[in-house]
Amino acid sequence: MTKIIKRPYRDLIDFKKVYDFMVSIYEKDWQNGAAAPAFEYSQLLFWTDHTQDHRNAIWEEDGCIIGLCWYETQVGEAYFNLMPGYDAIIPDMLEHAQKRLSKEDGSLRLCIYGGQEGIIKEAKNQGYQMIDKRVDGVYDFAKDMLNYQLPKGYHFKPLTECNRLELQNATWRGFNNEGDSEGGVEAVLRFDAAPHRTPELDVVIVDDEGNYACYAMMWYVPQNNLAFLEPFCTEPKHRGKGLAAAALSELVRRTKSLGATHMTGGSNEFYFKVGYDPLIAVTIWEMSKK
C-alpha cells in the first residue's frame, strides 16, 4: 500500500518538479489548479517574497507530486493544484493553508477555481465564505475570429531590437502606474532568465516615431497546446486604436503554427468582445466572521 507524504516546498530543487506536475494535470478551465506558467510568472515578479517559500507544501505518493498548496506573491493567500482522484487530502491542504500561509494576524484568502468543487465544498465546511469572483477568458483558435490588423502609424518590432528599459517603463505605465518601473531593467533581465519563457513569441508594437505602445509577453507550453499570455498592456495614450486586438491576432499567428490550440486572457470585457470565451472562474474565499 502506497503512502502519501506531505513536505515543504524546497525552492532550490522543487521548481522543475512542480512545473512538470502542473503541466501533467492541466485543464483548459483550470479545474485542477493554475497552469504551470502562472506559477513560474509569480516566482519572477520582483515583489514576490521568496523568504517564505518553505511555507508552501507538496504532497507526494511514491515520490510523485499529487498536490501543491502555495501562495502567489505574499503569504496571506493560498492556491491549490491537485491531481484528480486525490480529494482525500483536501482537508489537509486547507488546514495547511490556514496554519502556514496566513498572515501574522491570521487572515487568509483562498483562491479557488470554479472547477475545484471538492476544495470549494471543504472550504464551506470549514467556515469559509466566497467574497469575490471573476471569470477569465480563453480564446479557442478553432474560432478563427482574431484577425485584426495594425492601424496606420504602427508596426511590430522584434524584441531583440528593443530598448528593454524603455519597453519596461512603457509596460509599467500600461498598467496605469505613474513614471518609470519600480523594477527597472533588472526586472526585465530576471524574466529573460526564466526557464520556460518564449521571448521569440513576444509581440511589441511601436508607433512610427519608435515609441513603445503595446506589449504582450508569451509563454508557450507545447505539452498543453497552451499560449499563456502574461503580461499584456497598452500605454494609455495609445489606447482605443485597436492595438491590443492586433497584438492578440499576431500572437495567434505565431503560436498556432507551433501547435497551440488556445490562449489565455483576463476578465476585462475587451477579451470577450474580440472572441474569448468565459472559461476560467476564479473565486476568493475568507473565513466567515461570526
Side-chain angles (χ1 to χ4, degrees):
M1 184 176 181
T2 59
K3 183 179 180 181
I4 295 176
I5 297 174
K6 172 191 168 186
R7 64 171 179 81
Y9 171 77
R10 301 166 297 185
D11 184 40
L12 297 180
I13 63 174
D14 280 330
F15 170 77
K16 182 61 164 57
K17 288 186 67 175
V18 164
Y19 184 92
D20 290 345
F21 161 66
M22 289 180 163
V23 168
S24 72
I25 64 170
Y26 172 77
E27 294 290 346
K28 286 175 66 175
D29 63 356
W30 295 23
Q31 63 181 277
N32 298 326
F39 179 75
E40 181 167 352
Y41 181 76
S42 72
Q43 302 307 294
L44 296 163
L45 294 168
F46 70 89
W47 56 81
T48 295
D49 181 7
H50 290 287
T51 67
Q52 304 299 313
D53 282 349
H54 59 283
R55 295 194 186 199
N56 297 331
I58 287 173
W59 284 257
E60 290 181 325
E61 184 180 53
D62 293 336
C64 296
I65 299 177
I66 60 168
L68 174 72
C69 180
W70 55 289
Y71 68 88
E72 186 178 41
T73 60
Q74 309 285 329
V75 293
E77 61 186 10
Y79 290 79
F80 306 89
N81 283 72
L82 181 63
M83 183 175 289
Y86 288 91
D87 282 10
I89 71 170
I90 290 177
D92 193 27
M93 296 181 84
L94 265 69
E95 181 181 0
H96 173 86
Q98 187 62 55
K99 287 183 176 180
R100 296 293 291 147
L101 299 187
S102 296
K103 294 181 179 179
E104 289 186 4
D105 63 3
S107 62
L108 176 70
R109 287 192 170 188
L110 308 180
C111 305
I112 309 175
Y113 296 102
Q116 296 184 299
E117 298 297 338
I119 298 175
I120 290 175
K121 180 179 179 181
E122 183 60 27
K124 291 179 178 178
N125 289 341
Q126 293 193 17
Y128 287 88
Q129 62 181 359
M130 187 173 66
I131 63 165
D132 197 9
K133 63 180 179 179
R134 72 172 194 272
V135 180
D136 290 341
V138 174
Y139 180 72
D140 184 344
F141 288 4
K143 298 179 73 172
D144 198 25
M145 291 176 61
L146 276 171
N147 191 27
Y148 295 87
Q149 304 301 311
L150 277 176
K152 291 183 178 180
Y154 293 90
H155 61 273
F156 296 114
K157 184 172 184 176
L159 184 66
T160 54
E161 298 177 9
C162 292
N163 180 309
R164 302 302 298 283
L165 180 56
E166 290 183 8
L167 177 58
Q168 173 71 1
N169 289 336
T171 301
W172 179 254
R173 293 189 293 272
F175 284 99
N176 300 319
N177 299 300
E178 296 293 331
D180 293 338
S181 166
E182 289 182 0
V185 72
E186 295 304 324
V188 176
L189 298 177
R190 181 168 175 79
F191 274 96
D192 283 354
H196 301 101
R197 182 156 126 68
T198 50
E200 68 278 8
L201 300 174
D202 289 5
V203 169
V204 181
I205 298 175
V206 299
D207 64 19
D208 286 348
E209 285 71 48
N211 300 304
Y212 296 100
C214 183
Y215 180 48
M217 184 182 288
M218 176 50 53
W219 309 71
Y220 172 54
V221 187
Q223 303 96 317
N224 299 146
N225 305 118
L226 167 64
F228 182 86
L229 175 64
E230 188 73 48
F232 179 43
C233 64
T234 302
E235 266 259 42
K237 62 184 178 181
H238 295 283
R239 291 174 184 168
K241 301 179 181 180
L243 300 182
L248 292 178
S249 300
E250 180 64 16
L251 285 172
V252 170
R253 287 189 284 271
R254 295 182 184 186
T255 59
K256 187 174 183 178
S257 65
L258 298 175
T261 60
H262 59 291
M263 180 166 59
T264 58
S267 58
N268 190 293
E269 187 61 29
F270 156 77
Y271 289 101
F272 308 118
K273 287 182 178 180
V274 299
Y276 274 70
D277 297 312
L279 191 61
I280 303 173
V282 186
T283 61
I284 308 299
W285 301 71
E286 285 185 350
M287 187 67 74
S288 302
K289 294 179 175 63
K290 297 181 181 179

